[in-house]
Amino acid sequence: MTRVSMQVDGVTYTDEVEPRTLLVHHLREALGKVGTVVGCDTSNCGACTVHLDGQAVKSCTVLAVQADGAEVTTIEGVAAPDGSLHPVQKAFHEMHGLQCGYCTPGMIMASIDLLKENPNPSDTEVREGIEGNLCRCTGYQNIVRAVQQAAGELSGSATTPETTGAQA
Ligand code: FES
Ligand code: FES
């Protein structure tokens, strides 16, 4: 067993873990962060995406020991302390960017990272930015609309999906 310490959603946790433990399993099973989900066993789906020191990563591709000393943000840590949804969460809700919701935590974490890198992405750039995240339900169109609505809100502009020519 190896001692690891990491800050997750603003709280520092120190635990003994097996060296082979994946970060996603540590988050879910040791820390109770079950908002981060596992959707595959091939590192393809992106449902497990979290932020590791500010970068979106698939937490099934990272060992818990590799996150020692790191700052991790999960979907459970993106809302404001008063419970107000993050603009990206709000946009997914308002634009119907989800159906079953299984992909949604990872989609939102990937989208937040995308908008940090590119605050005003085109449709194509949104699709490229979330290409590591699979959705079996929505056909992606409303996800793209949601990301663009969030981009408008985060940048304070009046840009809406309607003004970009996106179709439902
Ligand atoms: S569970 Fe991590 S990519 Fe699918
Ligand atoms: S909403 Fe069902 S997988 Fe995306």
Side-chain angles (χ1 to χ4, degrees):
M1 301 289 269
T2 303
R3 178 173 293 251
V4 297
S5 183
M6 64 186 81
Q7 191 180 95
V8 182
D9 297 337
V11 176
T12 300
Y13 298 87
T14 302
D15 296 277
E16 299 285 333
V17 303
E18 290 190 41
R20 64 180 179 171
T21 302
L22 297 175
L23 179 58
V24 68
H25 292 143
H26 183 60
L27 291 171
R28 287 178 55 84
E29 293 160 20
L31 308 188
K33 295 287 182 179
V34 293
T36 301
V37 296
V38 177
C40 72
D41 57 8
T42 53
S43 308
N44 278 326
C45 75
C48 62
T49 303
V50 300
H51 293 175
L52 182 63
D53 287 334
Q55 298 279 318
V57 298
K58 294 178 178 179
S59 59
C60 71
T61 66
V62 178
L63 295 168
V65 294
Q66 292 176 292
D68 186 35
E71 191 173 320
V72 178
T73 305
T74 78
I75 189 65
E76 297 179 47
V78 299
D82 69 358
S84 311
L85 294 180
H86 185 282
V88 176
Q89 291 177 301
K90 187 165 160 278
F92 269 67
H93 173 65
E94 291 178 353
M95 303 306 290
H96 307 288
L98 62 141
Q99 289 182 23
C100 81
Y102 205 83
C103 70
T104 310
M107 280 289 183
I108 288 174
M109 299 311 288
S111 299
I112 292 171
D113 194 39
L114 164 66
L115 293 177
K116 197 174 56 176
E117 301 291 323
N118 181 356
N120 188 25
S122 66
D123 279 21
T124 301
E125 288 169 336
V126 172
R127 288 177 186 275
E128 288 174 353
I130 60 170
E131 67 185 359
N133 293 70
L134 302 181
C135 177
R136 304 284 183 204
C137 305
T138 63
Y140 298 96
Q141 186 62 42
N142 284 356
I143 290 174
V144 175
R145 287 161 55 92
V147 175
Q148 291 193 317
Q149 172 167 301
E153 183 165 343
L154 285 165
S155 69
S157 80
T159 301
T160 67
E162 285 70 30
T163 63
T164 67
Q167 300 292 309

